[in-house]
Amino acid sequence: MRADRSFYAAVDAFVRVANGLRTDWMLIGAVPLAAWGQARASTDADFVVSLGLLGAWPLEERLSKAGFRKTAGPAQIPQSQLVVANYTFRKGRLSFKVDVFFRTTKWDAVALSRRLRVRIGARRYWVASAEDLLLYKITAYRKRDVDDAASIVDRSGDSMDWRYVWRWARKMGAAHLLRQLLLDMGRGR
């Protein structure tokens, strides 16, 4: 399938660039959802990198040489602390979107230190832990993110470190969103 080839080509090219810059990285978004929640289709791959905004230019330069074209950013997502740049990877007839979130908070650094290696298809990639993926989802808080967050709680909630989740949700100003999610799921706290 071309979609699978496009995904692996883009993700592997991004990983080579990030590793070449000696930056930590992990997948967030829909791709690692299969490990912690209910898998769903996605048209892009979302990465968090340990580079702050000052590292955006060297990353962009190397991504450009590897077949990525920047389409937007870096820019802060409204009502969040997330800063993202959007790219499209092209190689021959293959094309795939990649979003890059830059480390802008202490929590981003903590989340990167907690990343786990997980098999996705035929390869192994660094992904956010279930707790951190849940936190990314509730801070984005779009309809699909809320659905994803609920699937993480349904599948992985019994084994999650809830003290960690609540502590960071409070620090990030997102405790009310987590509380609402859990109340809507009948898991009120």
Side-chain angles (χ1 to χ4, degrees):
M1 289 180 75
R2 187 178 305 183
D4 286 348
R5 287 198 325 258
S6 295
F7 166 79
Y8 286 117
V11 170
D12 291 347
F14 182 88
V15 167
R16 281 191 297 277
V17 168
N19 288 344
L21 287 171
R22 291 183 167 41
T23 186
D24 289 335
W25 58 269
M26 67 182 172
L27 285 158
I28 61 170
V31 173
L33 192 60
W36 315 124
Q38 177 63 44
R40 69 167 170 83
S42 181
T43 59
D44 69 356
D46 300 323
F47 285 92
V48 172
V49 294
S50 61
L51 300 171
L53 286 177
L54 293 177
W57 185 82
L59 177 67
E60 183 178 329
E61 184 179 41
R62 291 207 186 172
L63 286 174
S64 177
K65 290 176 183 174
F68 291 85
R69 182 178 57 83
K70 184 167 79 167
T71 56
Q76 185 169 355
I77 297 173
Q79 282 86 46
S80 83
Q81 298 175 6
L82 302 174
V83 175
V84 65
N86 311 109
Y87 296 87
T88 299
F89 173 79
R90 294 193 193 288
K91 184 173 184 180
R93 296 183 352 172
L94 302 178
S95 176
F96 202 77
K97 295 177 189 174
V98 171
D99 295 336
V100 180
F101 293 84
F102 293 91
R103 180 194 46 76
T104 58
T105 67
K106 180 175 176 157
W107 171 66
D108 291 318
V110 171
L112 279 160
S113 75
R114 294 169 38 87
R115 66 190 177 154
L116 301 165
R117 205 124 166 102
V118 170
R119 181 169 298 283
I120 297 173
R123 295 177 178 76
R124 295 176 66 80
Y125 297 108
W126 290 111
V127 303
S129 68
E131 294 88 351
D132 293 310
L133 187 58
L134 175 62
L135 288 164
Y136 278 111
K137 291 295 183 178
I138 65 167
T139 56
Y141 216 74
R142 299 167 298 180
K143 168 78 171 101
R144 72 173 170 248
D145 294 308
V146 173
D147 293 344
D148 292 345
S151 79
I152 295 167
V153 172
D154 275 343
R155 181 166 170 207
S156 301
D158 291 343
S159 62
M160 288 174 50
D161 180 349
W162 283 101
R163 288 178 54 194
Y164 172 86
V165 172
W166 279 107
R167 181 175 69 245
W168 281 105
R170 281 191 295 276
K171 286 182 178 185
M172 296 161 55
H176 66 290
L177 299 173
L178 178 59
R179 189 173 300 107
Q180 188 61 53
L181 171 74
L182 295 174
L183 286 171
D184 290 348
M185 296 179 68
R187 293 183 176 226
R189 284 185 167 245

